Amino acid sequence: MSSEEFRTNGRAVIDWIADYYERLETLPVRSQAAPGDVRAALPAHPPQTGEVFSAILRDVDYALLPGVTHWQHPSFFAYFPANASFPAILGDLLSSGLGAQGMLWATSPAATELETLTLDWLAELLDLPHRFMSTGQGGGVIQDTASSGVLVALVAALHRASGGTVGSTGLGSPRHIVYAGTAAHSMVEKAVRIAGLGTANLRLIDVDPTTQSMRVEHLRESVNADIGSGAVPTMVVATAGSTSTTAFDPVGEVGELCRESGIWLHVDSAYAGVAAVCPDLRWVNDGLEHADSYATNPHKWLLTNFDCDAFYVADRAGLVGALSVLPEFLRNTATESGAVIDYRDWQVPLGRRFRALKLWCVLRWYGAEGLRAHIRQGIELAQHFAALVATDGRFEVVAPHPLSLVCFRLRGDDEPNVELLEKLNASGKVYLTHTRVNGEYTLRMAVGSPATQTRHIEEAWRLIRELA
Ligand code: PLP
């Protein structure tokens, strides 16, 4: 493709994306495709000769779009939002255009230095403890997901707990134990498995049935029992804004226990953490001064296209010590000078995209005030929805809803709730997902798309009542 052809096709793609956003509301929120539909709509074999780009775009419309669930739709209320925004899309496009691979400072200094700066900016916007900034002992890095972040934190925690030997001698004995509340995300168990600890060395601590937050006294008992049996309590994952209900573990108390016992504390605030851009919501990150690592996802609720997990450590030297392996072919004078960051040492893969560009574009385009307005809008709409649910005695709101997620259900058995969710999602007009709260099947209304307005909330509620 010549640059002239790129200009023409590029404009067509930008137009396609802008048109897509304009007609989004006319599309069914959740794809109604059956398994195999998308593949069946496409040629079974690759073309022998190249095609024009307009043919590709036509297939995006006719073959792919029916198989796309529209995460940016204003009536997408499933899981948590995965906010996209035009500034982030443009930042991502610039990153693709540059095609730079920022594994080392030397392979593209701007990729590294912009990432360091942007994550310091984000830390300032969220009022994170200074120890997480690059101007302190720690620093931030963009991981693809919170799942990668917790895995990296676990490897660093094992490194520290083993006195730096686990990387060379392997796990062996004593056993290393990880703790999290039962409301923690499943990524914790996955990290424990990938790290080779095994699920048997993960302790899931029960939660208070009303607040869904981890019971610290049970955590303490569990830690003491493990110490008594000769195991090494290695990491606690505290959740600040759980996936099921946005429950908050008592991070401060958990942190004090971790500090007393020398346990690594990772705080997972994948969804809720970005709410701290609003000064009155800084409580979401209470207790963070005790954490060794922390992660929040601008790709969920801060207008930055997937993937963008902001991961912070308090002691960058410890993290690098755990992950750095320097083969001859990566040696260079900048690395050897010790004056630069090489982000390859802060993550699982070697290679890395220039992801800071999209977050930087978002922070610059919206500014703190624009970001705050976005967060506040999601919360106001969710609170409006909760108030509507409270007007109908057939329904109950089943957990605290301090932010933009409301968990609710039809009173009584699970089955009518299961049926209600199926009917809602089959309508194509809304998309919600479910969880279980204290064992009961519960619907989740997760608000947060920048396109969602009061009318979408009220229309969703009208539909819910009609189909219930
Ligand atoms: N932690 C929490 C609280 C989440 O809600 C989620 C996803 O919804 C995750 C972790 C996993 O996020 P990721 O897809 O970035 O790994």
Side-chain angles (χ1 to χ4, degrees):
M1 195 182 279
S2 66
S3 19
E4 267 324 301
E5 287 169 317
F6 177 70
R7 272 182 224 284
T8 308
N9 292 317
R11 288 191 183 114
V13 170
I14 296 285
D15 281 343
W16 188 96
I17 295 172
D19 290 345
Y20 171 71
Y21 276 82
E22 283 173 8
R23 71 189 162 115
L24 202 45
E25 244 182 283
T26 65
L27 301 170
V29 192
R30 189 187 69 172
S31 166
Q32 308 290 313
D37 278 0
V38 174
R39 183 159 184 165
L42 292 165
H45 302 289
Q48 293 304 311
T49 54
E51 299 182 63
V52 291
F53 207 82
S54 55
I56 300 173
L57 263 188
R58 213 168 27 246
D59 277 353
V60 172
D61 265 321
Y62 295 107
L64 298 189
L65 219 50
V68 172
T69 288
H70 303 292
W71 283 69
Q72 306 311 318
H73 195 293
S75 299
F76 181 98
F77 303 118
Y79 307 103
F80 276 133
N83 284 174
S85 68
F86 288 140
I89 294 169
L90 294 178
D92 228 3
L93 188 57
L94 284 169
S95 168
S96 295
L98 291 171
Q101 212 271 59
M103 59 190 173
L104 303 168
W105 177 89
T107 60
S108 202
T112 296
E113 294 192 16
L114 187 70
E115 188 156 329
T116 310
L117 173 76
T118 305
L119 289 200
D120 280 347
W121 277 11
L122 184 66
E124 186 180 320
L125 286 167
L126 303 181
D127 196 27
L128 300 185
H130 182 255
R131 56 210 291 258
F132 289 128
M133 298 182 76
S134 70
T135 45
Q137 298 296 302
V141 60
I142 299 179
Q143 307 277 351
D144 52 6
T145 59
S147 304
S148 293
V150 78
L151 176 61
V152 159
L154 178 53
V155 175
L158 286 165
H159 181 76
R160 189 173 82 180
S162 67
T165 60
V166 75
S168 49
T169 60
L171 284 168
S173 70
R175 287 182 305 123
H176 290 272
I177 313 290
V178 174
Y179 308 80
T182 50
H185 194 274
S186 54
M187 68 172 185
V188 181
E189 180 171 353
K190 199 170 192 180
V192 163
R193 288 201 206 175
I194 296 171
L197 296 181
T199 306
N201 291 314
L202 171 65
R203 307 272 181 265
L204 289 180
I205 309 298
D206 63 344
V207 295
D208 177 279
T210 308
T211 61
Q212 302 291 313
S213 69
M214 195 198 310
R215 297 171 82 141
V216 185
E217 68 278 18
H218 292 182
L219 173 65
R220 186 179 292 279
E221 283 163 22
S222 191
V223 165
N224 288 340
D226 285 322
I227 293 172
S229 71
V232 182
T234 298
M235 180 165 88
V236 176
V237 179
T239 306
S242 67
T243 313
S244 277
T245 67
T246 53
F248 286 78
D249 288 336
V251 177
E253 279 178 73
V254 172
E256 275 161 28
L257 168 59
C258 288
R259 189 161 285 184
E260 281 162 29
S261 316
I263 305 173
W264 184 288
L265 173 62
H266 176 73
V267 176
D268 169 28
S269 201
Y271 157 72
V274 295
V277 290
C278 301
D280 50 314
L281 297 173
R282 298 255 156 91
W283 59 264
V284 297
N285 288 330
D286 276 355
L288 213 50
E289 61 279 7
H290 298 292
D292 294 289
S293 52
Y294 165 78
T296 187
N297 285 358
H299 73 222
K300 281 188 164 53
W301 197 18
L302 205 66
L303 299 161
T304 310
N305 290 48
F306 190 87
D307 50 353
C308 185
D309 166 74
F311 174 85
Y312 291 90
V313 273
D315 170 24
R316 59 177 176 268
L319 177 70
V320 171
L323 293 178
S324 186
V325 179
L326 183 59
E328 186 56 37
F329 50 81
L330 294 180
R331 284 186 189 280
N332 65 87
T333 43
T335 296
E336 266 145 39
S337 75
V340 300
I341 289 177
D342 289 327
Y343 277 126
R344 74 185 184 100
D345 295 332
W346 297 48
Q347 60 173 25
V348 175
L350 169 63
R352 57 201 330 273
R353 302 174 58 225
F354 196 167
R355 279 183 297 225
L357 264 172
K358 61 186 171 189
L359 182 57
W360 185 62
C361 289
V362 166
L363 301 186
R364 291 190 65 174
W365 176 266
Y366 290 97
E369 283 310 325
L371 300 172
R372 288 174 190 142
H374 166 64
I375 296 289
R376 290 206 168 105
Q377 171 182 307
I379 296 175
E380 274 165 27
L381 293 174
Q383 300 311 317
H384 181 47
F385 179 79
L388 291 172
V389 176
T391 63
D392 187 331
R394 291 177 298 163
F395 291 89
E396 57 183 334
V397 172
V398 299
H401 46 88
L403 299 173
S404 67
L405 170 71
V406 181
C407 291
F408 69 104
R409 66 191 303 280
L410 280 162
R411 293 177 195 275
D413 295 341
D414 285 348
E415 201 45 43
N417 286 290
V418 176
E419 283 167 16
L420 172 59
L421 186 63
E422 274 167 14
K423 283 192 266 181
L424 283 168
N425 292 340
S427 76
K429 293 181 181 154
V430 291
Y431 185 20
L432 282 77
T433 47
H434 80 282
T435 187
R436 281 190 185 273
V437 180
N438 298 326
E440 289 187 321
Y441 191 95
T442 299
L443 278 66
R444 293 170 74 264
M445 176 83 174
V447 187
S449 161
T452 307
Q453 300 169 13
T454 308
R455 68 186 169 88
H456 301 108
I457 300 294
E458 293 180 349
E459 176 56 22
W461 176 237
R462 196 196 56 70
L463 193 66
I464 291 165
R465 292 180 73 180
E466 182 187 309
L467 297 178

